[in-house]
C-alpha cells in the first residue's frame, strides 16, 4: 500500500530565508505520480507540481524548486527567499498507476514565514 | 481560468440529518473525486467517479455515503444520517480524461465546511 511521510510538522523561518520541505513516499508500483499542494489559511488546496516516476529531472519554477530522487524515495520542495505569503500548509501526495487513482496525502507541513 | 465550484461553503446540520454537498467540476474533466479533511488533519480520499460509476472508494466511504452526477454538470456527495465525526472540510476535485499525457493533476474546489451539531 502507498504511504507518504512528511516528518516536519511545522517549520518557522524568517522572510528571505530558504526552506526545504521533506517528503518521503512508499509504493510498490513502478509507475506513479507525485504532487505538491499548498493550503493557505483560506483553506483551499492549490496545485503546485506533478511529477511522474519516470522523470527524475529537478524542476524550478520561480522561487520554487523540487528535488525528486527515486533512490531515496524522496520528493523534496524548496522555497528560495521565502515570503510571508508562502505561509501555508504544504501537502505532498502520491497517486499510483497512471495517476487517475486516488491521491494519498502526507500529513502536511505548516510553514510560518515571519516578517 | 476554469475552476471547481462547491456549494455551500459552510453547512451546519443536526446529527442524524441528511446533507448533500454539491460540486460543479471543470467542464472538460471526466474524473471526479471527493476528499475530506478533519480539522487539523491530513486530506483523506473518499471516492472517485468515472463514466457514471464509482471507480474507487476508501474505507471511510461506507453505506452512509453516496455520490451522484444527476445532470451532467453537478457532482454530489450525500451523507444519509450525519454523525458528529462527519464534521470536516469536504473537497471536490476533478481531472482530465487520460490521453497521450498520462497523468494529470486533480484540481480542487474551495471546499465545503460541514459542521454536525
Amino acid at each position: 500500500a502507498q504511504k507518504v511521510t512528511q516528518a516536519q510538522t511545522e517549520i518557522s523561518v524568517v522572510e528571505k530565508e530558504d526552506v526545504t520541505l521533506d517528503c518521503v513516499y512508499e509504493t510498490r508500483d513502478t509507475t506513479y505520480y507525485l504532487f505538491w499542494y499548498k493550503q493557505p489559511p483560506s483553506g483551499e488546496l492549490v496545485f503546485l507540481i506533478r511529477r511522474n516516476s519516470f522523470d527524475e529531472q529537478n524542476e524550478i519554477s520561480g522561487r520554487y524548486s523540487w528535488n525528486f530522487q527515486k533512490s531515496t524515495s524522496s520528493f523534496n520542495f524548496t522555497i528560495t527567499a521565502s515570503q510571508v505569503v508562502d505561509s501555508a500548509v504544504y501537502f505532498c501526495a502520491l497517486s499510483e498507476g497512471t495517476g487517475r487513482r486516488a491521491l494519498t496525502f502526507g500529513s502536511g507541513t505548516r510553514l510560518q514565514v515571519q516578517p | 481560468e476554469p475552476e471547481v465550484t462547491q456549494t455551500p461553503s459552510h453547512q451546519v446540520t443536526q446529527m442524524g440529518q441528511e446533507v448533500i454537498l454539491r460540486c460543479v467540476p471543470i467542464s472538460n474533466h471526466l474524473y471526479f473525486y471527493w476528499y475530506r479533511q478533519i480539522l487539523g488533519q491530513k486530506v483523506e480520499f473518499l471516492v472517485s467517479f468515472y463514466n457514471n460509476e464509482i471507480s474507487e472508494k476508501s474505507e471511510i466511504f461506507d453505506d452512509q455515503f453516496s455520490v451522484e452526477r444527476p445532470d451532467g454538470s453537478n457532482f454530489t456527495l450525500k451523507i444519509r444520517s450525519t454523525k458528529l465525526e462527519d464534521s470536516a472540510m469536504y473537497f471536490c476535485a476533478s481531472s482530465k480524461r487520460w490521453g497521450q499525457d498520462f497523468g494529470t493533476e486533480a484540481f480542487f474546489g474551495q471546499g465545503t465546511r460541514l459542521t454536525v451539531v
Side-chain angles (χ1 to χ4, degrees):
Chain A
Q2 66 272 32
K3 185 179 176 182
V4 177
T5 302
Q6 294 180 255
Q8 304 151 308
T9 306
E10 187 161 347
I11 300 174
S12 183
V13 298
V14 177
E15 209 170 15
K16 297 184 184 175
E17 282 185 20
D18 298 347
V19 58
T20 295
L21 310 181
D22 297 333
C23 173
V24 174
Y25 63 92
E26 294 176 30
T27 177
R28 292 179 183 169
D29 276 19
T30 55
T31 302
Y32 52 89
Y33 284 80
L34 296 163
F35 304 80
W36 276 94
Y37 284 85
K38 174 182 179 180
Q39 187 175 43
S42 49
E44 72 272 25
L45 285 166
V46 179
F47 165 78
L48 295 178
I49 190 172
R50 172 186 92 234
R51 224 34 176 177
N52 75 54
S53 52
F54 301 109
D55 183 2
E56 285 193 76
Q57 279 192 343
N58 291 328
E59 183 158 338
I60 298 174
S61 175
R63 297 183 297 107
Y64 295 170
S65 62
W66 290 269
N67 183 357
F68 176 28
Q69 291 196 338
K70 285 179 77 170
S71 60
T72 56
S73 297
S74 65
F75 186 44
N76 297 336
F77 172 31
T78 298
I79 302 175
T80 303
S82 58
Q83 300 175 1
V84 172
V85 294
D86 295 326
S87 296
V89 180
Y90 290 86
F91 290 97
C92 181
L94 165 72
S95 178
E96 291 181 326
T98 54
R100 73 185 73 184
R101 298 195 58 195
L103 291 169
T104 296
F105 283 83
S107 54
T109 297
R110 180 177 299 279
L111 174 64
Q112 300 263 27
V113 181
Q114 309 288 350
Chain B
E1 188 172 324
E3 60 181 18
V4 177
T5 305
Q6 291 185 245
T7 54
S9 56
H10 190 191
Q11 179 152 1
V12 181
T13 189
Q14 287 200 330
M15 193 169 54
Q17 295 295 306
E18 174 183 286
V19 294
I20 297 176
L21 309 183
R22 303 180 191 279
C23 169
V24 179
I26 295 173
S27 61
N28 64 344
H29 287 187
L30 295 177
Y31 288 85
F32 315 116
Y33 311 84
W34 284 101
Y35 290 80
R36 80 169 185 192
Q37 184 182 31
I38 295 171
L39 187 63
Q41 298 187 22
K42 67 178 173 182
V43 180
E44 301 174 292
F45 168 72
L46 294 177
V47 65
S48 60
F49 192 84
Y50 170 70
N51 200 26
N52 287 318
E53 61 183 22
I54 291 173
S55 51
E56 190 179 4
K57 61 182 181 179
S58 72
E59 293 175 354
I60 302 169
F61 194 86
D62 61 22
D63 291 344
Q64 291 298 313
F65 292 90
S66 62
V67 289
E68 196 177 35
R69 189 153 161 82
D71 57 12
S73 61
N74 290 288
F75 179 51
T76 62
L77 174 70
K78 182 193 292 186
I79 308 175
R80 288 190 183 80
S81 179
T82 50
K83 303 187 282 283
L84 294 176
E85 54 264 39
D86 293 327
S87 295
M89 180 76 92
Y90 288 80
F91 290 102
C92 174
S94 68
S95 62
K96 284 182 183 177
R97 181 188 182 93
W98 303 101
Q100 289 182 341
D101 176 23
F102 283 96
T104 187
E105 60 273 19
F107 289 90
F108 284 77
Q110 79 279 18
T112 292
R113 181 165 297 286
L114 176 66
T115 303
V116 183
V117 297

